[in-house]
Amino acid sequence: MRKPSTVVTMADVARFAGVSTMTVSNVINGRPRVGAETRERVLAAIGELGYQVNLAARHLRAGRTGVIGLAVPELERPYFAQLAGRLADRFEAHDLRIVMERTGASREGELDAVAFSRLRMYDGLILSVVDTDPAELSQLRTDAPVVMIGERPLPSRFDHVMMDNVDGARQATAHLLAAGARRVAMIGGDPDGSATMPALRAEGYAAAHTDAGLPIDPELNVRCQFRLQDGYDAIRALRDRGIAFDAVFALTDVLAMGAVRALVDAGLRVPEEVQVVGFDDIDEAAYLVPSLTTVNPGHDAMADAITSLLMAQINGGAIGDPQEVVVPAQLVTRGTTKPLA
């Protein structure tokens, strides 16, 4: 075996395996034109010599860095971790890797992610927009391929993929009402907001009540952040104030999990006494006890749309007319709600 400090080339592998450099290249790139025996011989030579593919050089020769930036508000939220995993799977098929950065859900962080995407050597950028005004996004000057993801329509020049927050929340609340609930608490909603996730999901909550001909008690809404502790504290706050409720629509699964724990700690049975629905359908939702009824916002369809739009920009070399894709949401019924009669 060669010493570790020796630079091993493709030609070295070819000589060692007794094949041409083209054959070695075909094996490395997974092309189907190499017989099984020859492929095994080349792979054995690669292992014996310690040959390493210089991916950076390969990408630079193609005019790329091989990296896609994913800028999200928080790295800790399970939803973004699952989205990153799905995107990583899809972009790996294009020989591209995902690098995540945190914007802090701030205007400065989001604008910087776009403005400096080229300096960070990204072939393309996926940006989750929370706080930036659409007009500011429209005025940004960048030639980098960019796809926006977020909760609200963005009248900008960038492609945009969004989930249907209003209809997803409407489905969640309508299911609770159809299952017999009459006082549905909403955790995390912002009925007075404008085109944000809490506002849009509050709009769906209100729409379901209107459809059912039921009034909304403002005291049933608890504004809060989106950590487990916030879900737990929201339930305690309702109970401490003596507000009666027989169901909970939590704006995220993480809030719902905190709420379920608070209900159980208070001696209330889920779903017999209080039903709960979340939103996001994160992996952990299915393993809660009881398992969590939730809204799947279209994880796979969203990842497919983001990948398709960004790859079209990368391969086309120019940004055309912006496209907006709204991915439909679907209710997933599990153990925290009662079966419909």
Side-chain angles (χ1 to χ4, degrees):
M1 177 182 269
R2 291 174 180 265
K3 295 179 180 180
S5 60
T6 303
V7 176
V8 180
T9 67
M10 193 181 295
D12 294 329
V13 174
R15 282 192 294 270
F16 193 92
V19 298
S20 68
T21 55
M22 179 58 72
T23 298
V24 176
S25 177
N26 289 338
V27 171
I28 291 171
N29 289 286
R31 299 186 183 109
R33 60 192 73 169
V34 182
E37 182 179 346
T38 301
R39 183 181 301 277
E40 290 300 322
R41 194 159 73 249
V42 170
L43 291 175
I46 288 172
E48 179 69 21
L49 297 177
Y51 175 70
Q52 294 183 347
V53 180
N54 190 337
L55 291 175
R58 178 193 297 176
H59 286 301
L60 289 173
R61 283 195 298 272
R64 298 182 183 178
T65 64
V67 177
I68 299 296
L70 174 60
V72 298
E74 302 171 0
L75 302 180
E76 298 85 357
R77 282 180 58 182
Y79 170 78
F80 290 117
Q82 288 184 211
L83 175 64
R86 285 178 167 86
L87 290 172
D89 289 340
R90 285 157 175 79
F91 280 107
E92 281 176 6
H94 298 281
D95 203 15
L96 295 166
R97 299 295 180 265
I98 291 286
V99 172
M100 293 184 71
E101 62 176 278
R102 182 174 61 181
T103 65
S106 71
R107 169 185 171 276
E108 292 77 11
E110 292 169 5
L111 292 176
D112 284 350
V114 178
F116 296 112
S117 60
R118 278 298 193 201
L119 295 179
R120 293 185 177 123
M121 299 293 286
Y122 297 155
D123 289 332
L125 175 70
I126 304 160
L127 173 63
S128 175
V129 182
V130 176
D131 194 48
T132 306
D133 186 90
E136 290 185 285
L137 292 172
S138 297
Q139 294 170 7
L140 279 174
R141 293 187 177 183
T142 178
D143 60 350
V146 176
V147 171
M148 303 286 182
I149 58 176
E151 313 301 342
R152 51 186 173 170
L154 295 174
S156 73
R157 62 186 181 85
F158 298 106
D159 289 338
H160 182 206
V161 179
M162 60 189 296
M163 65 182 67
D164 195 338
N165 285 285
V166 175
D167 186 61
R170 184 197 60 76
Q171 290 183 52
T173 309
H175 179 71
L176 290 168
L177 297 175
R182 286 299 174 265
R183 290 185 57 80
V184 181
M186 177 172 59
I187 298 178
D190 183 11
D192 303 321
S194 175
T196 62
M197 180 272 278
L200 293 171
R201 295 183 186 177
E203 181 181 338
Y205 168 87
H209 281 80
T210 299
D211 292 343
L214 295 172
I216 294 175
D217 182 352
E219 289 195 324
L220 287 170
N221 178 52
V222 181
R223 290 180 172 90
C224 63
Q225 297 301 310
F226 300 99
R227 301 164 301 182
L228 281 166
Q229 187 65 48
D230 297 314
Y232 188 94
D233 291 344
I235 296 299
R236 292 193 60 179
L238 287 168
R239 289 180 53 77
D240 289 347
R241 287 156 49 198
I243 297 173
F245 59 96
D246 55 9
V248 175
F249 169 47
L251 264 66
T252 70
D253 286 349
V254 171
L255 282 178
M257 291 176 181
V260 169
R261 178 56 189 262
L263 292 167
V264 172
D265 284 356
L268 296 170
R269 293 173 298 154
V270 178
E272 291 83 1
E273 294 176 274
V274 181
Q275 302 181 74
V276 180
V277 177
F279 199 119
D280 286 340
D281 196 21
I282 62 175
D283 290 340
E284 293 84 352
Y287 296 93
L288 191 68
V289 179
S291 57
L292 181 65
T293 295
T294 183
V295 176
N296 184 316
H299 296 297
D300 289 324
M302 182 166 290
D304 288 340
I306 292 168
T307 305
S308 176
L309 290 171
L310 196 59
M311 289 307 304
Q313 292 184 41
I314 292 171
N315 293 329
I319 300 176
D321 293 335
Q323 297 187 51
E324 181 179 274
V325 178
V326 181
V327 177
Q330 182 176 6
L331 184 74
V332 180
T333 55
R334 297 194 181 104
T336 55
T337 53
K338 298 175 183 177
L340 299 183

